[in-house]
Amino acid sequence: MRAPWCRPVLGTSSTALLFALPALIFFAGFVAYPIVHTCVLSFFSWSAVQSTALPVGLANYRALLSDPHFFVALRNNGLFIVLSVAVQMPLALLLALGLGSALRRHRLLRTLFFAPFVLPIVAVGLMWRLIYEPNLGALNALLEMVGRSHWARGWLGESEVAIFAVIAVSCWRYVGFHMMILLAGLQSIPADVHEAAALDGAGKWQTLWQVTLPMMRRVLLVDALLITVGSVRIFDLVKVMTDGGPGYASEVLATLMFRAAFVEDRMGYSAAIAVVMLLVTLVFTVVYLRLTRVEDVVWPPWVSRFSVWAVLLAAAAWVAWPMLLDDGAWPAIVGRMVALGLIAGSAWLLVHVWERLPRRPAAVVRDTAFALLAVLFILPVGWAVLGSVRTVNDLLLAPWRLPETWVWGNFAAAWAGGIGRYLMNSLAVTAFSVGLALAVSALSAYAFARLRVPGGLLLFGLIVGGILMPVHASLIPLYVQSRHLHLVNWPAIIGPYVAFGLPLMVLMLRAYLADIPTELSDAALIDGCGHWRVLWQVLLPIARPAVAAVAIFQASWVWNELPLALVLVRDRVWQVLPVGLLNFQGEHSADWGVIMAGVTLTMAPILALYFLFQRHIVSGLTAGAVR
C-alpha cells in the first residue's frame, strides 16, 4: 500500500532537470554570465561615470604590456605560487603522515594546526599587521628577546620584504587545510598495501617514497592545483595587510584589478586584468588535469639527475647571492655554506637514526616535535587574544608578558563601536546564504548522483568547474548588474554567495549521495514515493555528516568573503563583518587593545563552530574533495 505522503512524479528526465535547474540558474546568472561579460568588457573603455562603453579592441591588453605595475603584480603572484607550493605541500604532507592516527593527542594537534584556516581572514590580516608592526609588534619584540634585534624590520613597510611577509602569513593560515586534504588521501590507501611493503623488507623511507607517495599522486596534484589557484586569486590578505604597498611592491593581480576598477575608475582595463587571472587559472588547471589522467608514470633517469642538479644549483645560487650585492661578502658566503652543510648533515643523520630507532622512542620524539610546532602555530592567536585585555602602554612596554591589568572593557568598547552590529549582520547573511545554498545544492547533487540528467556529465562539469573561477573575474559585471537592477546591500550579495559556494557543495554532496546503497531509494520509489520525498526523508538524513561539512565550508566562506561585500554593500548599517572590521580598524587605529578585542570577537563564533563540528570536516573532505 502506498504511503499517504508519497505521490507520483514526472518522468526521470523531467524530474532530473527540475532538480538541477535552480543550481544551473544560480550558476549561469552569477558565475557564467558575469565571467563572459568580463571578457567582453575587456575590449571596451568604460567607467562608472561614463554612460556608454567605447570599443577599443586590444588597447587594454596593450596597456597591460606597457604597465610596469602589472608585471610587478604578475611576479608577486608567481612568488605566491612557487613559495606556497614549496612550503605548504611538504609541511602539510609531514603533518598528515605524522598525525594521521586516531589517538586523542593527534586529534588535538590536528585541531591546533587547522585552527588558523577557520579564522576570519580579515581578522587574520589585522592580527598579523599588529604582529609585524615595527614599534609595538610582537615579532620585533620576540627577536629582541632572543638577541636578534638586528633582524628587526619594518616588515610591511619595506618594499623588499613586504610580499614575503604576506606569503608567510598565507602559508601559516592554509597549511592546516592542506594537511586535512592529504590526510584524507592517506586514509584512502588500503592498510594491506603498507603491510605487504613491510613484509617485503621495505623501511619507513622506502615505503614512503616507493609506495605511499606514488599512490597519493592524484591527491597531491589536486592539492597542488588548489594551492596554485588560491595563489593566483589571492586578494584578502594583501588588501588587509598592505593594500598592495608600499607603493606597488606587494601588489598582486587581484588587488591591481580592484584598484584599477574602484579607485582609478578604469573598468575596461580592470576587466583585462581579470581575464589574465582567468587564463592563468585555466592554464594551470589544464596542466594539472592532464597530469592526473596519466595512470602510471615511469620517470626517465634524466629527471632524477635534473632534480638533483636543480637543487644543487639553487643551493649554489643562494650561497653566491651576497657576492652579487657586495664584493666584500665572503663572511656571509662562508656562513651560508656552513648553514647548508649543517642542514644537509642533520637531514642525513635524522633519516638514518630514525630508521633505527625503536617504535616507542621514535613516536615520543615525533609527537614532541609536532607539539612544539603546534605551539608556534597557535602562538600568534594567543598573543592577539591576550592583547585584547591589555592597554596600549602595557603592549608597548612588554608585548610578550601577561597583562598587568586585565582591561575587559575593551570588549564592551569593541562591541559598542560596531563589532556587535557587524556580527549580527554576518550571522543573518550567513544563515540565509547557507540555508539557500544547501537546498539548491542538495537538489542538484541528487539529480547528478541518482537521476539521468540530459547532458548531465557536461552540466556537472560546468558547475564543478566554478570551483576554479575567481570571484574577482565576475566582480565588475556584478557591480554593473547591481546598479542596473537597483540591488544594494544584502540582496546584491546573497545570489553571488550562493552561486560561488555551489560548486564545492554539489561536488561533495553528490559524492556522498552516490555512495549510499541504491536499494534504499529504490525501495522507497517502489512504494510510490516521489524523488522529492526520497531525497529529503531518506537520503539526506543518512548524509547528515556531508550536509554538516558543506554547511560549515559555505558558512566559513561567506563569513570571510571580502571583495563582493566591499563593492556591493554600500550602506554602513548593512555592512557585514569583513568590511566592518576594516572600517573599525581605521576608526580605532590608536587603540590596539580595542582592535584586538574586535578581532577576538570576530574569531570566536567560527572557532566555536569548528570545534563543535570538526569531525564532519574530515569526513566531508574524504567524501568529495580528493576524488
Side-chain angles (χ1 to χ4, degrees):
M1 182 177 178
R2 178 176 298 172
W5 42 264
C6 294
R7 297 179 182 176
V9 296
L10 300 176
T12 302
S13 296
S14 302
T15 305
L17 285 176
L18 285 176
F19 274 50
L21 188 60
L24 294 173
I25 291 174
F26 271 100
F27 182 80
F30 296 104
V31 179
Y33 167 74
I35 287 176
V36 173
H37 193 185
T38 298
C39 296
V40 174
L41 279 177
S42 68
F43 298 102
F44 288 81
S45 174
W46 177 78
S47 70
V49 297
Q50 182 178 317
S51 57
T52 57
L54 303 176
V56 294
L58 297 174
N60 289 322
Y61 293 97
R62 287 194 293 268
L64 281 180
L65 297 178
S66 61
D67 185 357
H69 299 147
F70 169 73
F71 288 100
V72 170
L74 198 61
R75 181 207 66 186
N76 288 338
N77 276 106
L79 287 173
F80 253 101
I81 293 172
V82 172
L83 294 179
S84 295
V85 172
V87 173
Q88 293 182 45
M89 281 198 68
L91 184 54
L93 180 61
L94 179 65
L95 295 175
L97 289 167
L99 303 175
S101 75
L103 294 174
R104 183 175 300 176
R105 62 177 181 273
H106 286 180
R107 292 201 302 269
L108 173 62
L109 291 174
R110 289 199 300 266
T111 298
L112 294 178
F113 283 114
F114 191 78
F117 173 71
V118 302
L119 297 179
I121 197 164
V122 174
V124 167
L126 291 179
M127 179 180 73
W128 278 93
R129 274 181 63 178
L130 301 179
I131 292 173
Y132 280 138
E133 211 278 335
N135 298 316
L136 302 176
L139 182 54
N140 284 346
L142 182 62
L143 292 175
E144 186 175 351
M145 287 171 56
V146 298
R148 289 292 181 266
S149 57
H150 57 284
W151 289 356
R153 309 286 293 269
W155 299 98
L156 300 179
E158 298 184 17
S159 56
E160 297 84 3
V161 298
I163 187 64
F164 297 102
V166 179
I167 292 173
V169 176
S170 178
C171 292
W172 171 82
R173 183 174 190 266
Y174 289 104
V175 72
F177 170 72
H178 297 290
M179 172 195 70
M180 288 296 192
I181 290 180
L182 297 182
L183 178 61
L186 285 171
Q187 292 176 348
S188 67
I189 298 176
D192 55 0
V193 174
H194 291 122
E195 293 173 0
L199 290 175
D200 289 340
K204 300 172 187 175
W205 288 98
Q206 284 181 306
T207 302
L208 173 64
W209 291 105
Q210 298 180 17
V211 178
T212 304
L213 293 184
M215 294 192 70
M216 283 188 62
R217 184 177 59 84
R218 289 181 183 274
V219 178
L220 290 170
L221 285 171
V222 168
D223 192 53
L225 175 61
L226 292 176
I227 296 175
T228 302
V229 171
S231 299
V232 171
R233 58 189 186 190
I234 189 75
F235 173 80
D236 309 71
L237 274 179
V238 178
K239 178 68 177 174
V240 175
M241 294 181 67
T242 65
D243 200 16
Y248 286 83
S250 63
E251 199 83 85
V252 291
L253 291 175
T255 55
L256 184 67
M257 186 216 77
F258 188 90
R259 185 195 299 265
F262 302 105
V263 177
E264 301 170 358
D265 201 18
R266 302 165 65 193
M267 295 293 184
Y269 183 76
S270 176
I273 299 174
V275 171
V276 171
M277 290 178 61
L278 187 61
L279 291 176
V280 171
T281 301
L282 291 177
V283 167
F284 278 111
T285 302
V286 170
V287 171
Y288 282 119
L289 289 179
R290 288 185 65 87
L291 289 175
T292 59
R293 289 178 182 175
V294 181
E295 293 297 335
D296 296 310
V297 178
V298 180
W299 300 111
W302 65 267
V303 173
S304 298
R305 291 196 295 271
F306 174 80
S307 302
V308 172
W309 279 107
V311 172
L312 291 176
L313 287 174
W318 181 71
V319 168
W321 182 254
M323 187 183 298
L324 301 177
L325 304 178
D326 184 4
D327 291 337
W330 285 106
I333 292 175
V334 172
R336 293 190 176 204
M337 292 177 65
V338 172
L340 276 179
L342 290 174
I343 293 172
S346 300
W348 179 87
L349 184 64
L350 179 63
V351 170
H352 285 268
V353 171
W354 190 267
E355 285 281 358
R356 290 162 175 77
L357 273 177
R359 183 174 181 180
R360 182 66 182 177
V364 172
V365 172
R366 177 199 63 200
D367 290 352
T368 302
F370 283 133
L372 293 174
L373 185 59
V375 170
L376 290 178
F377 256 69
I378 211 67
L379 194 59
V381 181
W383 180 82
V385 172
L386 279 178
S388 66
V389 291
R390 303 180 71 174
T391 64
V392 175
N393 289 336
D394 196 11
L395 279 168
L396 177 62
L397 294 174
W400 286 100
R401 193 172 60 193
L402 288 174
E404 291 186 357
T405 303
W406 296 74
V407 188
W408 300 103
N410 287 338
F411 289 99
W415 187 273
I419 292 296
R421 180 174 66 249
Y422 304 143
L423 273 170
M424 294 300 106
N425 288 346
S426 278
L427 284 172
V429 170
T430 301
F432 188 81
S433 300
V434 170
L436 183 57
L438 273 176
V440 173
S441 61
L443 290 171
S444 180
Y446 177 78
F448 290 120
R450 297 285 179 156
L451 304 177
R452 295 181 180 179
V453 182
L457 186 61
L458 175 62
L459 294 177
F460 178 72
L462 287 174
I463 292 178
V464 173
I467 294 175
L468 305 173
M469 298 296 106
V471 173
H472 320 87
S474 61
L475 198 57
I476 297 173
L478 289 174
Y479 170 72
V480 176
Q481 182 175 293
S482 70
R483 291 183 61 191
H484 287 170
L485 298 178
H486 302 290
L487 291 175
V488 294
N489 303 322
W490 295 359
I493 59 177
I494 294 295
Y497 281 176
V498 173
F500 279 95
L502 281 177
L504 181 61
M505 299 177 78
V506 171
L507 174 66
M508 293 173 65
L509 284 178
R510 176 187 175 273
Y512 207 99
L513 293 179
D515 282 344
I516 298 176
T518 56
E519 291 81 4
L520 294 174
S521 54
D522 290 345
L525 290 171
I526 290 173
D527 286 341
C529 300
H531 290 286
W532 177 268
R533 295 288 187 178
V534 170
L535 171 62
W536 295 105
Q537 298 191 7
V538 178
L539 297 183
L540 286 185
I542 299 174
R544 193 175 300 164
V547 173
V550 297
I552 292 169
F553 279 117
Q554 176 69 358
S556 179
W557 182 76
V558 173
W559 193 265
N560 284 312
E561 201 284 324
L562 178 62
L564 288 172
L566 200 59
V567 171
L568 301 179
V569 180
R570 303 175 194 173
D571 297 336
R572 180 168 181 172
V573 70
W574 299 103
Q575 281 177 352
V576 290
L577 195 56
V579 182
L581 195 55
L582 276 180
N583 295 333
F584 178 82
Q585 187 271 339
E587 295 170 359
H588 298 80
S589 57
D591 197 338
W592 278 32
V594 175
I595 293 173
M596 284 195 268
V599 169
T600 303
L601 287 172
T602 303
M603 295 188 297
I606 203 72
L607 269 178
L609 189 67
Y610 166 67
F611 283 121
L612 287 173
F613 299 102
Q614 56 179 299
R615 62 188 179 90
H616 296 308
I617 294 176
V618 179
S619 65
L621 286 171
T622 307
V626 298
R627 295 192 176 190

